[in-house]
Amino acid sequence: MPDLVHVVLLGVIEGITEFLPISSTGHLLIAESLGLGARSDLFNVGIQAGAILAITLIYWKRIWELLTHWQVPANRAYLLKLLVAFLITCVLGFVVTHYGFKLPETITPIAWALLIGGFWILGAEAIAARQVDRTEVTWRVAILVGIAQIVAGVFPGTSRSGATIFTAMLAGTSNRPAATEFSFLVGIPTMYAATGYELLKVLKNGGAAHEDWGALLVGFAVSGVVAFAAVKWLLGYIRTHRFTWFAWYRIALGVALLLLMPAGA
């Protein structure tokens, strides 16, 4: 029973943090260090897949519209920009993986990433507030969002959603809902590809042989349900609010980790 509670809590944490700009990787690592226990790579991939499925369902109508009405110039241009951002991430992701450009997933670098990311959000919001409200996603936005996804992957704790949303806002899509939609839509194929890649690695290395499949399914389901609710709430919240509270939360958590965690952790 205690382990089941831990699995549910990890699913809740993943579901809440995967698409909010506060870093799911950072929160899962913190949770594990506080006693919820380290989990297998397959488990972590499985609960992430639940969150990805949730956002796919949320954006299903938008995805269907883009795919079935691609002849419409605006839809075709949007799809091409999504594709370009995704391909940039894939190419740079291959380079990063091949050469091992990634910081260790330990508390100290994650704390710094949370802290710096908080100030990044505050700065981006201040700059975007002075811009004309623009919903258009330009080619510059698409290219920079593709690069931002890799930056988030290299620096655990950065938050993929935070990096891409605020890159889009600074690059020209100053409207929060529009920047968030592009970030989430380009994140769907990116995260499916990353999850599939990690899953193949785990299966190839024999990691599935001793997996607790019951725990994985519970974590997957909990993560999916919670992520669905979290994203629905976020999409309503950002229509009338800035991301400022997320920034201050990141800063406070980053400072707390740096002060409370042992040096070198």
Side-chain angles (χ1 to χ4, degrees):
M1 183 60 69
D3 187 64
L4 179 60
V5 173
H6 291 173
V7 167
V8 171
L9 287 174
L10 289 170
V12 170
I13 292 169
E14 167 65 22
I16 292 174
T17 60
E18 183 61 54
F19 294 102
L20 301 188
I22 54 177
S23 174
S24 61
T25 301
H27 281 78
L28 287 174
L29 183 66
I30 294 166
E32 290 175 359
S33 69
L34 291 177
L36 295 190
R39 296 287 163 171
S40 68
D41 290 338
L42 185 57
F43 177 87
N44 292 332
V45 167
I47 63 173
Q48 183 183 57
I52 303 169
L53 178 60
I55 200 162
T56 304
L57 294 174
I58 287 173
Y59 279 104
W60 178 246
K61 288 184 179 179
R62 176 64 167 147
I63 295 169
W64 184 252
E65 176 197 358
L66 289 170
L67 294 176
T68 57
H69 296 85
W70 61 268
Q71 302 94 334
V72 178
N75 287 349
R76 184 164 60 247
Y78 199 91
L79 277 172
L80 287 173
K81 289 166 186 172
L82 288 172
L83 178 62
V84 165
F86 172 67
L87 291 177
I88 289 172
T89 301
C90 289
V91 172
L92 294 180
F94 174 80
V95 173
V96 166
T97 301
H98 181 74
Y99 290 102
F101 295 145
K102 186 176 182 180
L103 290 178
E105 293 185 352
T106 53
I107 294 295
T108 299
I110 284 176
W112 279 109
L114 287 167
L115 186 61
I116 294 169
F119 286 110
W120 158 257
I121 292 174
L122 291 176
E125 281 283 16
I127 294 171
R130 294 196 296 267
Q131 297 179 1
V132 176
D133 187 60
R134 289 191 293 266
T135 60
E136 180 188 3
V137 176
T138 64
W139 285 106
R140 180 175 67 172
V141 168
I143 292 168
L144 291 177
V145 164
I147 296 172
Q149 291 199 118
I150 291 302
V151 172
V154 173
F155 296 95
T158 302
S159 170
R160 190 209 66 83
S161 62
T164 53
I165 290 170
F166 297 106
T167 293
M169 288 175 64
L170 289 175
T173 308
S174 55
N175 179 272
R176 267 182 228 92
T180 301
E181 179 183 82
F182 188 79
S183 165
F184 285 176
L185 286 177
V186 78
I188 291 173
T190 301
M191 294 173 66
Y192 272 127
T195 301
Y197 175 74
E198 291 297 328
L199 180 59
L200 287 175
K201 281 202 309 182
V202 169
L203 295 176
K204 184 179 179 180
N205 295 332
H210 306 290
E211 184 66 38
D212 184 345
W213 290 97
L216 191 151
L217 289 174
V218 170
F220 171 87
V222 172
S223 172
V225 171
V226 174
F228 189 94
V231 173
K232 278 287 191 181
W233 170 82
L234 179 68
L235 294 177
Y237 177 83
I238 61 174
R239 293 188 181 279
T240 54
H241 298 80
R242 296 185 180 185
F243 286 98
T244 307
W245 284 110
F246 296 108
W248 287 117
Y249 169 78
R250 289 178 63 109
I251 292 169
L253 181 58
V255 170
L257 292 174
L258 290 172
L259 292 176
L260 300 176
M261 287 294 177

